[in-house]
C-alpha cells in the first residue's frame, strides 16, 4: 500500500497536511495561498504560461464530474466505473489514490470535499486539491514552475500519481507541479554515471519522473531484464519519485536489495531552478539524501536511473489458513513470525496478512527451484496442517520462467482489488530480526491483538547485508526482516468526529506496534501521520546529516512536505515558519 503529513501535537480533528493553522498573511515569512492578496495576478500567470509547453492546469476533485447533480458537468459514468482504478486516478491531476487527501478538515471539525456519493446531499468543494498548476512535459517546464514558486513565495506541492499515504502531494490553496507526463524511458546496456569511469558501467534504465511501474515493467520485459520495483495493485505508483526516495521496497528486496540500493543516478531541479545530476561523482551528498531522505524535500526529481539484473526462473508459493480457535492462531502465528529470518536469508520475499481467524501469505523467490522451495517452506506448511488438523489450510506453489511471465499470470488471474479510492490511514513498524527470532510468541500475540495486520516480506537478506551508512535510509532497515502495518478508515461523508476517532485509533496503533521495531523504525511511504517522532521513525541517526544537506541545497525551505526533513520548523499546514 502507499502514503499524509505529521502532527507536531495531536489535535482533535486535523492532520498536518490538511489544516491551515494560519494563513500566509498572518505572519512574516509565510507562504502565499490561493485567495490571498499576495496570490499571483492573471498577468503573472500569463507570463508563466508563455514559458511553458502546455497550458496551465486547474485540478479538480474527480467526483466533480458528477455535479451539479441535476446536470453533471462531466462524464459521471466514467468516474463511477473507474473510481478504484489507480491508473485512471493517476491520469487526473486532481485525483489522489486515497480520497481523504482530496478533502480538507476545517477548524470546526467539518470536512470539505467532493463525494462520489451524490445522495449525501453535500456540496462539491475543492477540498485539499490545489486549484492551479503546471503540467510539466519538459525540464524547462519544471524549471519555470520552480522559479515562479520561488518568485511569488507560494505554498506548493509536487504531484505525480498521488499514490501517497502521507498526502505529500495535496495542499489546500497550493500551487501544483504535476510531473505525471514526464514519461521518457531509455535503456543503456553499459550505463556509466556522469563523471564515472568504464568500470562502473551497468545495464540500466532511466525513467522520467512520470513513469509508473506498470510502464517500467513493460520496458524491462522488452529488454529481457529484471528491475527491482513496486508491486502495488495495478502498479500505478511512480518509478522515479516517492517510492525510491522513501526506500522503495519490493518482494524481491531480500534477493536484490531495496530501490535505494539499486538506483545509480538522479536528475533533479533544485530550488534555484538549476537542473543537475546527482550520483556518486556529482552532488554526492544530495545523491545520498535522495536515497531514503524522503520525497518532496530536495527538489523536483526529473529522472532516476536503476541498475538491472539478469532474468532468472522464479518460484511462487502460498498458503491460506482458517484458524479453528485462538490457540491455533497463536501457535501458527508464532511459527510464522519465526520463519521470517530464515526466509529472507534464503532470498524469499512476499506479502501476507494475519487476523484472529486466518492467515494468507504469498512467497516469491528468484532462482529457487521447487526442490529448494520444498526444503525451505514445506516444513512450515506441514506444521500448519498438523496444527489445524488439515482443516481450512490450502497451499499452492508454481515455477515460472522469469519475473515477467509470473507478473503476466498474476495480472491475468488476480481479481480487482479496491486498494484505492477510499479513506485510509496507516500505522506501521519494521519487524526487527530480534523480535522475530527471540520474541516470536510475544510478537505473534501482538499481531493477533489487531483486527488486521499486513506483513510485507521486503527486508532481510540483501537489505541487511548493505552498508547502513551508504544511503540516507533509516539504518533500522538493515536490522529488519519485514514491514508490518495496520489500517483504518471511514466512509465518505463521515462526520469530523468519526474521522477524529479513526485518527486517534491509528495514533494508538503506532504506539502498540513499537515493541516489534528496530529503534522505532518504519517505512515512511506506508506510515502514519501521527508518529511520536517522525525524525526517529523515518530517518533514525541520519536525520542531523539530512538537515545539513537540506540547508545546503534548499536554504529557503522551498520544498516542504508533511513529516519531511525540516518540516518541524513550520506550522501544521507547512505555510508559516514557527
Amino acid at each position: 500500500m502507499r502514503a499524509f503529513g505529521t502532527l507536531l501535537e495531536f489535535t482533535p480533528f486535523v492532520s498536518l497536511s490538511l489544516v491551515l493553522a494560519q494563513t500566509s498573511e498572518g505572519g512574516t515569512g509565510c507562504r502565499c495561498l490561493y485567495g490571498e492578496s499576495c496570490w499571483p495576478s492573471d498577468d503573472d500567470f500569463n507570463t508563466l504560461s508563455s514559458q511553458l509547453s502546455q497550458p496551465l492546469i486547474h485540478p479538480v476533485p474527480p467526483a466533480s464530474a458528477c455535479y451539479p447533480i441535476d446536470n453533471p458537468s462531466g462524464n459521471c459514468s466514467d468516474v463511477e466505473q473507474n473510481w478504484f482504478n489507480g491508473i485512471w486516478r493517476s491520469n487526473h491531476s486532481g485525483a489522489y489514490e486515497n480520497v481523504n487527501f482530496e478533502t480538507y478538515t476545517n477548524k470546526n471539525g467539518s470536512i470539505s470535499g467532493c463525494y462520489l456519493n451524490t445522495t449525501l446531499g453535500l456540496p462539491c468543494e475543492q477540498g485539499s486539491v490545489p486549484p492551479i498548476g503546471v503540467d510539466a512535459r519538459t525540464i524547462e517546464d519544471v524549471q519555470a514552475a520552480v522559479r515562479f514558486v520561488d518568485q511569488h513565495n507560494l505554498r506548493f506541492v509536487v504531484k505525480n500519481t498521488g499514490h501517497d499515504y502521507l498526502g505529500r502531494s495535496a495542499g489546500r490553496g497550493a500551487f501544483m507541479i504535476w510531473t505525471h507526463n514526464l514519461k521518457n524511458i531509455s535503456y543503456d546496456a553499459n550505463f556509466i554515471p556522469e563523471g564515472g569511469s568504464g568500470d562502473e558501467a551497468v545495464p540500466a534504465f532511466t525513467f522520467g519522473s512520470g513513469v509508473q511501474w506498470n510502464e517500467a515493467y513493460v520496458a524491462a520485459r522488452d529488454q529481457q531484464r529484471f528491475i527491482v520495483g513496486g508491486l502495488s495493485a495495478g502498479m500505478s505508483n511512480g518509478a522515479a519519485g516517492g517510492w525510491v526516495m522513501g526506500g522503495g521496497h519490493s518482494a524481491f528486496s531480500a534477493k536484490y536489495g531495496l530501490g535505494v540500493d539499486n538506483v545509480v543516478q538522479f536528475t533533479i531541479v533544485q530550488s534555484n531552478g538549476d537542473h543537475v545530476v546527482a550520483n556518486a561523482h556529482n552532488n554526492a551528498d544530495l545523491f545520498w539524501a535522495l536515497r531514503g531522505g524522503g520525497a518532496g524535500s530536495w527538489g523536483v526529481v526529473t529522472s532516476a536511473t536503476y541498475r538491472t539484473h539478469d532474468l532468472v526462473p522464479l518460484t511462487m508459493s502460498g498458503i491460506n489458513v482458517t484458524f479453528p480457535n485462538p490457540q491455533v492462531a497463536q501457535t501458527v502465528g508464532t511459527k510464522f513470525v519465526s520463519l521470517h529470518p530464515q526466509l529472507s536469508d534464503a532470498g524469499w520475499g512476499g506479502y501476507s496478512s494475519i487476523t484472529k481467524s486466518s492467515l494468507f501469505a504469498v512467497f516469491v523467490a528468484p532462482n529457487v527451484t521447487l526442490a529448494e522451495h520444498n526444503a525451505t517452506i514445506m516444513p512450515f506448511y506441514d506444521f500448519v496442517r498438523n496444527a489445524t488438523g488439515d482443516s481450512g489450510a490450502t497451499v499452492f506453489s508454481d515455477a515460472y520462467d522469469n519475473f515477467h511471465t509470473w507478473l503476466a499470470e498474476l495480472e491475468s488471474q488476480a481479481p480487482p482489488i479496491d486498494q484505492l479510492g477510499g479513506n485510509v490511514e496507516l500505522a506501521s513498524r519494521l519487524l526487527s530480526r530480534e523480535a522475530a527470532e527471540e520474541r516470536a510468541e510475544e510478537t505473534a500475540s501482538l499481531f493477533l491483538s489487531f483486527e488486521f495486520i499486513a506483513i510485507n516480506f521486503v527486508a532481510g537478506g540483501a537489505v541487511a547485508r548493505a552498508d547502513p551508512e551508504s544511503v540516507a535510509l533509516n539504518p533500522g532497515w538493515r536490522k529488519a526482516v519485514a514491514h508490518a502495518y495496520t489500517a483504518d478508515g471511514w466512509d465518505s461523508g463521515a462526520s469530523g468526529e468519526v474521522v477524529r476517532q479513526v485518527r486517534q485509533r491509528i495514533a494508538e496503533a503506532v504506539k502498540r506496534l513499537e515493541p516489534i521495531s528496530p529503534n522505532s523504525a518504519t517505512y515512511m511511504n506506508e506510515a502514519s501521520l501521527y508518529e511520536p517522532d517522525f525524525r526517529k521513525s523515518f530517518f533514525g541517526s541520519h536525520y542531523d546529516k539530512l538537515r545539513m544537506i537540506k540547508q545546503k541545497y534548499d536554504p529557503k525551505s522551498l520544498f516542504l512536505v508533511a513529516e519531511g526533513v525540516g518540516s518541524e520548523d513550520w506550522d501544521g499546514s507547512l505555510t508559516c515558519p514557527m
Side-chain angles (χ1 to χ4, degrees):
M1 297 181 74
R2 262 19 37 185
F4 314 16
T6 206
L7 285 176
L8 299 181
E9 54 181 336
F10 191 82
T11 55
F13 296 101
V14 302
S15 67
L16 176 72
S17 62
L18 301 182
V19 173
L20 296 176
Q22 57 188 120
T23 70
S24 64
E25 295 178 317
T28 302
C30 295
R31 296 286 153 77
C32 185
L33 298 170
Y34 176 75
E36 297 177 345
S37 61
C38 56
W39 191 251
S41 66
D42 288 346
D43 286 344
D44 292 327
F45 280 113
N46 288 336
T47 299
L48 171 63
S49 185
S50 69
Q51 303 169 28
L52 303 173
S53 67
Q54 304 293 316
L56 290 167
I57 56 173
H58 299 275
V60 293
S64 63
C66 300
Y67 293 81
I69 299 173
D70 56 351
N71 185 26
S73 61
N75 187 345
C76 187
S77 296
D78 180 61
V79 175
E80 293 171 336
Q81 181 179 350
N82 291 289
W83 189 256
F84 300 106
N85 185 312
I87 300 298
W88 180 88
R89 285 189 159 274
S90 68
N91 288 333
H92 290 73
S93 60
Y96 291 81
E97 305 301 286
N98 299 292
V99 298
N100 35 311
F101 295 118
E102 297 169 11
T103 66
Y104 172 79
T105 304
N106 297 297
K107 291 181 179 179
N108 65 2
S110 63
I111 297 175
S112 168
C114 186
Y115 301 107
L116 180 62
N117 183 1
T118 57
T119 65
L120 292 170
L122 298 171
C124 177
E125 299 176 329
Q126 189 75 8
S128 289
V129 177
I132 192 169
V134 169
D135 176 6
R137 306 287 180 104
T138 67
I139 303 304
E140 291 76 19
D141 287 344
V142 177
Q143 291 176 302
V146 169
R147 288 169 179 149
F148 183 79
V149 165
D150 185 29
Q151 177 187 356
H152 294 281
N153 193 32
L154 303 182
R155 167 83 171 98
F156 83 106
V157 297
V158 180
K159 181 177 184 285
N160 175 16
T161 66
H163 203 305
D164 186 355
Y165 289 114
L166 292 176
R168 291 169 289 192
S169 56
R172 181 175 175 86
F175 181 84
M176 177 188 289
I177 300 178
W178 193 36
T179 63
H180 182 61
N181 291 306
L182 288 170
K183 294 286 192 181
N184 292 339
I185 298 177
S186 63
Y187 177 71
D188 187 341
N190 293 284
F191 178 83
I192 302 173
E194 185 174 303
S197 58
D199 58 2
E200 298 176 67
V202 293
F205 272 103
T206 297
F207 300 123
S209 56
V211 174
Q212 294 163 272
W213 277 116
N214 65 310
E215 298 164 326
Y217 289 140
V218 169
R221 181 198 63 200
D222 292 345
Q223 293 293 338
Q224 287 296 287
R225 301 296 296 171
F226 171 77
I227 185 168
V228 175
L231 289 169
S232 64
M235 289 156 291
S236 58
N237 53 325
W243 179 83
V244 65
M245 285 184 277
H249 74 47
S250 163
F252 300 92
S253 292
K255 182 70 173 181
Y256 298 109
L258 297 163
V260 291
D261 300 320
N262 284 272
V263 68
V264 295
Q265 182 167 288
F266 291 99
T267 57
I268 182 171
V269 174
Q270 299 175 288
S271 59
N272 62 4
D274 289 348
H275 187 237
V276 302
V277 169
N279 60 28
H281 308 283
N282 296 277
N283 302 301
D285 51 354
L286 179 59
F287 183 51
W288 182 86
L290 288 168
R291 289 175 294 160
S297 296
W298 312 101
V300 183
V301 168
T302 56
S303 74
T305 302
Y306 295 91
R307 68 168 52 87
T308 64
H309 305 272
D310 294 336
L311 287 178
V312 296
L314 181 150
T315 296
M316 178 176 71
S317 183
I319 186 168
N320 194 1
V321 186
T322 300
F323 301 134
N325 56 61
Q327 292 75 26
V328 171
Q330 178 66 50
T331 299
V332 172
T334 299
K335 187 69 170 179
F336 182 61
V337 168
S338 67
L339 184 67
H340 283 70
Q342 175 190 351
L343 283 180
S344 64
D345 289 346
W348 285 85
Y351 305 97
S352 74
S353 63
I354 189 168
T355 70
K356 297 178 180 68
S357 60
S358 65
L359 166 68
F360 176 74
V362 175
F363 311 100
V364 291
N367 223 16
V368 169
T369 66
L370 282 175
E372 291 169 325
H373 155 270
N374 291 340
T376 303
I377 294 182
M378 285 305 295
F380 172 66
Y381 293 166
D382 292 340
F383 178 90
V384 173
R385 287 192 180 102
N386 290 333
T388 60
D390 207 19
S391 62
T394 303
V395 302
F396 60 88
S397 60
D398 209 344
Y400 299 85
D401 291 340
N402 57 57
F403 168 82
H404 299 296
T405 57
W406 170 75
L407 188 63
E409 182 169 324
L410 201 66
E411 289 183 298
S412 67
Q413 294 186 358
I417 300 176
D418 292 350
Q419 186 182 18
L420 314 171
N423 299 284
V424 179
E425 297 198 20
L426 304 183
S428 71
R429 280 293 179 266
L430 294 178
L431 172 61
S432 70
R433 175 178 285 266
E434 180 270 337
E437 285 184 336
E438 301 178 21
R439 294 184 286 115
E441 183 176 1
E442 176 187 336
T443 300
S445 179
L446 173 62
F447 286 161
L448 291 168
S449 71
F450 285 87
E451 184 176 343
F452 157 86
I453 283 283
I455 307 171
N456 296 336
F457 322 128
V458 292
V463 178
R465 293 190 293 271
D467 178 4
E469 301 306 315
S470 62
V471 297
L473 188 74
N474 190 322
W477 267 99
R478 310 308 181 180
K479 298 178 180 179
V481 291
H483 175 248
Y485 67 86
T486 188
D488 207 339
W490 57 91
D491 293 332
S492 290
S495 68
E497 174 59 21
V498 168
V499 175
R500 186 200 67 80
Q501 291 175 9
V502 172
R503 290 172 172 163
Q504 182 68 59
R505 290 197 297 269
I506 286 293
E508 292 169 354
V510 172
K511 298 176 183 177
R512 289 174 60 195
L513 285 170
E514 184 66 19
I516 74 167
S517 65
N519 198 28
S520 302
T522 193
Y523 179 43
M524 71 181 74
N525 288 343
E526 297 171 5
S528 171
L529 291 165
Y530 316 115
E531 286 291 337
D533 184 352
F534 77 87
R535 293 165 291 189
K536 182 178 182 181
S537 300
F538 293 171
F539 309 108
S541 60
H542 290 158
Y543 191 75
D544 290 344
K545 181 177 178 180
L546 285 165
R547 278 298 304 252
M548 290 189 293
I549 297 172
K550 171 77 169 174
Q551 179 61 32
K552 175 181 176 181
Y553 288 96
D554 186 21
K556 297 181 182 179
S557 292
L558 195 67
F559 294 93
L560 288 171
V561 295
E563 293 187 326
V565 174
S567 64
E568 70 273 21
D569 296 337
W570 291 70
D571 68 5
S573 66
L574 301 177
T575 305
C576 295
M578 295 195 300

